Amino acid sequence: MSISVPDRWAVGEESVPDPRVDLVSFREEFYRCLPARGDALFELTDALLCSGTAVRTLVELSLAAEHRRGHGALYDAINCGRIDLTRLRRALGGLTILRDRGGRIVLAVDISAWLRPDASTSPQRGFCHVYGRGKNQAQLIPGWPYSFVAALETGRTSWTSVLDAVRLRPDDDETDVTATQVREVNTRLREAGHHRDGDPDILLVFDAGYELARLAFVLADLPVQVLGRMRSDRVLCFPAPPRGRTGKHSSRHGPEFRFADPITWPAPETTSSTETDRYGTATAASWNRLHPRLVHRGSWADHPGPPPIVEGTVIRLTVDHLPGDRHPKPVWLWYSHPGGGTADIDRLWQMFLRRFDLEHTFRFFKQTLGWTAPKLRSPEAADRWTWIVLVAYAQLRLARPLAEDLRRPWERPVPPTRLTPARVRRGFSRTRATMPVPASAPKPSRPGPGLPPGSKNTHRAPHHHVGKRAETKARKPVGAACPG
């Protein structure tokens, strides 16, 4: 099923006369993706959308008028319900995809953590890297990390189009999971007709922490290009020098290019300056055909033969100032195309800055929709709640042309195209009142007897370790005789 979203701001898409039809179609398709406890899960999603305040607990949602069932049915749906993720992913991929000004699809990939440091009875928790407020205050906190893929649009906005979410297990390889996730998203986009042969390659934007060369090598068979940030202490290499008289290469790598050592920088291939309203003058310099020195270690340990040479373009971006008159450091980017020109460099660093729109989406998920607020024990229940949040956010994006600006007295009026997700959610209850609800009404029932008074719980939940557990050799008993 292909559902077209009434996104009047997508490049190359005509405005839909009645966007309410598309919102109703998506809601009906979402209801068909709920084979078990579908009525309760659907009403939970509506309660999440129509709640006027930030979500703190699931019990508060059970008191909403849109949730006609009790809190017992709510938790039963979260813990025992089922969602057809294959069909739901296909429905999200069928929505109109946001594009840049040139009609190119730009996908941002990033990981956000659902921290559960005190949930010792919750399995499959891993150590999540969390940044602190102070300098060099990064921490590793137990939780469930989720990898998200979202399409970006142009301009300063807090909207994205979230297409997929995958929970990373402690034993998963982050690069392999990300490559598989991107490959599946690309397949769904092609099936929906969003990307065809001859269209510009899809641009994948990553933040620091990803193996960019590995992703570019694994996804080389797809019409995608990789752009990501690198640490400022990285060392890359130029191509190997040409063969000498002996006909042999002295090395597979050429001179080193050290990000922290300007002496190793030759003259850049391209240089451009752009005046911005937030950062002053933005200067970008690029060097072509630079590659990392790969060895048989980590994700390349099982690679047959010598590790490949994955060349790309390095971009150094500097700005005059940041909001708040801070002194910014240079940003280093790596682009999987080895020969980027001036026009490409200007477009690339601007699209990388658009990647931070996904951070606004994460903040809206956590602070307003309460993605990480419930204290769920099962990771499967956490997955169901995560997808409910994603579906709610997709409905808010569909309701952008229908939303009323219910602004508070101290808020400035904005045009409909500039409404934030929070302000669209503020008036979603009025939009919902004009459309049908596929969920059936609850049947009257009597509450169960529950536990007898004075009884104790004899089924204790097992405790689970955090992260990977390496197998250790059995220790020799004390006093054992040595062989020989």
Side-chain angles (χ1 to χ4, degrees):
M1 178 178 181
S2 178
I3 307 174
S4 60
V5 178
D7 192 346
R8 301 179 182 178
W9 307 278
V11 177
E13 299 291 339
E14 299 181 357
S15 61
V16 180
D18 189 4
R20 185 177 286 100
V21 176
D22 298 285
L23 179 56
V24 172
S25 300
F26 179 76
R27 287 168 58 85
E28 293 177 349
E29 178 64 14
F30 170 58
Y31 183 73
R32 300 187 191 101
C33 298
L34 306 174
R37 275 77 170 182
D39 295 334
L41 289 174
F42 190 88
E43 290 188 356
L44 174 60
T45 308
D46 277 359
L48 176 63
L49 286 167
C50 299
S51 177
T53 58
V55 177
R56 295 291 180 262
T57 61
L58 293 180
V59 177
E60 295 177 356
L61 296 180
S62 67
L63 302 177
E66 292 75 15
H67 193 274
R68 297 174 292 180
R69 291 162 172 81
H71 72 278
L74 184 149
Y75 279 100
D76 181 66
I78 289 292
N79 294 319
C80 303
R82 286 196 300 115
I83 302 177
D84 188 352
L85 294 183
T86 302
R87 185 170 185 172
L88 182 55
R89 285 187 170 104
R90 192 181 303 114
L92 288 175
L95 302 178
T96 300
I97 299 300
L98 307 174
R99 302 169 183 264
D100 65 356
R101 293 185 178 90
R104 187 179 191 179
I105 298 177
V106 182
L107 301 181
V109 185
D110 202 357
I111 294 178
S112 185
W114 184 337
L115 302 181
R116 297 304 308 277
D118 301 328
S120 58
T121 59
S122 297
Q124 301 179 13
R125 292 181 303 158
F127 288 104
C128 306
H129 189 271
V130 180
Y131 289 97
R133 292 184 177 271
K135 184 178 181 181
N136 299 327
Q137 295 295 322
Q139 305 177 42
L140 292 176
I141 300 178
W144 292 315
Y146 282 83
S147 175
F148 292 87
V149 178
L152 305 179
E153 61 177 302
T154 58
R156 292 166 54 185
T157 177
S158 56
W159 288 95
T160 60
S161 178
V162 183
L163 302 176
D164 193 27
V166 174
R167 177 170 50 84
L168 300 176
R169 301 173 182 268
D171 295 331
D172 286 343
D173 184 85
E174 181 180 305
T175 304
D176 293 341
V177 172
T178 302
T180 303
Q181 186 180 17
V182 169
R183 188 176 296 275
E184 293 176 353
V185 170
N186 175 79
T187 300
R188 292 193 292 269
L189 293 180
R190 295 187 66 86
E191 291 176 352
H194 295 310
H195 192 269
R196 301 180 178 89
D197 295 337
D199 292 346
D201 291 345
I202 299 175
L203 181 64
L204 305 176
V205 184
F206 299 88
D207 200 5
Y210 286 89
E211 295 186 53
L212 302 178
R214 176 71 176 178
L215 290 170
F217 177 78
V218 174
L219 302 175
D221 59 322
L222 299 180
V224 299
Q225 296 178 355
V226 175
L227 173 68
R229 184 163 63 95
M230 283 188 166
R231 292 166 53 97
S232 58
D233 58 352
R234 291 293 301 271
V235 178
L236 301 185
C237 298
F238 284 99
R243 298 185 179 185
R245 297 181 179 179
T246 59
K248 298 182 179 179
H249 285 294
S250 58
S251 175
R252 300 180 66 240
H253 313 284
E256 291 185 344
F257 183 95
R258 298 179 179 271
F259 291 0
D261 188 3
I263 299 179
T264 62
W265 308 347
E269 301 287 342
T270 61
T271 304
S272 64
S273 297
T274 305
E275 294 295 332
T276 64
D277 56 348
R278 289 175 60 85
Y279 311 110
T281 303
T283 304
S286 66
W287 293 266
N288 297 338
R289 300 191 63 187
L290 280 167
H291 65 271
R293 189 190 301 267
L294 304 177
V295 295
H296 284 97
R297 189 171 55 207
S299 59
W300 300 99
D302 299 331
H303 184 78
I309 301 295
V310 185
E311 294 184 340
T313 300
V314 170
I315 305 172
R316 184 178 184 268
L317 175 64
T318 56
V319 297
D320 290 341
H321 56 80
L322 293 176
D325 292 332
R326 292 176 291 171
H327 300 285
K329 296 181 180 179
V331 176
W332 292 92
L333 305 176
W334 187 84
Y335 179 46
S336 60
H337 193 281
T342 304
D344 296 332
I345 301 306
D346 289 337
R347 177 179 53 83
L348 289 173
W349 70 258
Q350 294 178 24
M351 292 311 305
F352 175 78
L353 295 183
R354 294 269 62 82
R355 190 208 69 83
F356 293 97
D357 295 342
L358 190 56
E359 302 295 339
H360 294 287
T361 301
F362 292 156
R363 183 173 61 179
F364 180 71
F365 283 177
K366 296 181 179 181
Q367 297 184 1
T368 304
L369 298 184
W371 171 43
T372 59
K375 304 301 181 182
L376 302 176
R377 176 186 299 176
S378 169
E380 292 76 17
D383 294 343
R384 296 185 193 97
W385 174 246
T386 299
W387 279 101
I388 288 176
V389 172
L390 263 62
V391 170
Y393 184 76
Q395 293 188 46
L396 291 177
R397 190 168 69 88
L398 288 171
R400 286 174 72 180
L402 306 172
E404 301 180 36
D405 187 13
L406 303 178
R407 64 185 183 90
R408 297 185 175 96
W410 57 86
E411 294 178 340
R412 296 180 180 179
V414 295
T417 57
R418 300 298 300 174
L419 287 177
T420 61
R423 292 174 77 160
V424 173
R425 177 175 177 259
R426 194 179 299 167
F428 190 85
S429 59
R430 300 188 180 185
T431 304
R432 178 185 177 274
T434 62
M435 57 186 60
V437 179
S440 59
K443 299 179 181 179
S445 61
R446 296 181 179 179
L451 292 176
S455 61
K456 296 182 179 180
N457 183 15
T458 58
H459 300 281
R460 297 296 182 89
H463 288 224
H464 300 273
H465 294 274
V466 181
K468 303 177 182 179
R469 294 188 61 190
E471 297 182 359
T472 57
K473 299 181 180 179
R475 296 183 58 184
K476 186 187 305 181
V478 179
C482 296

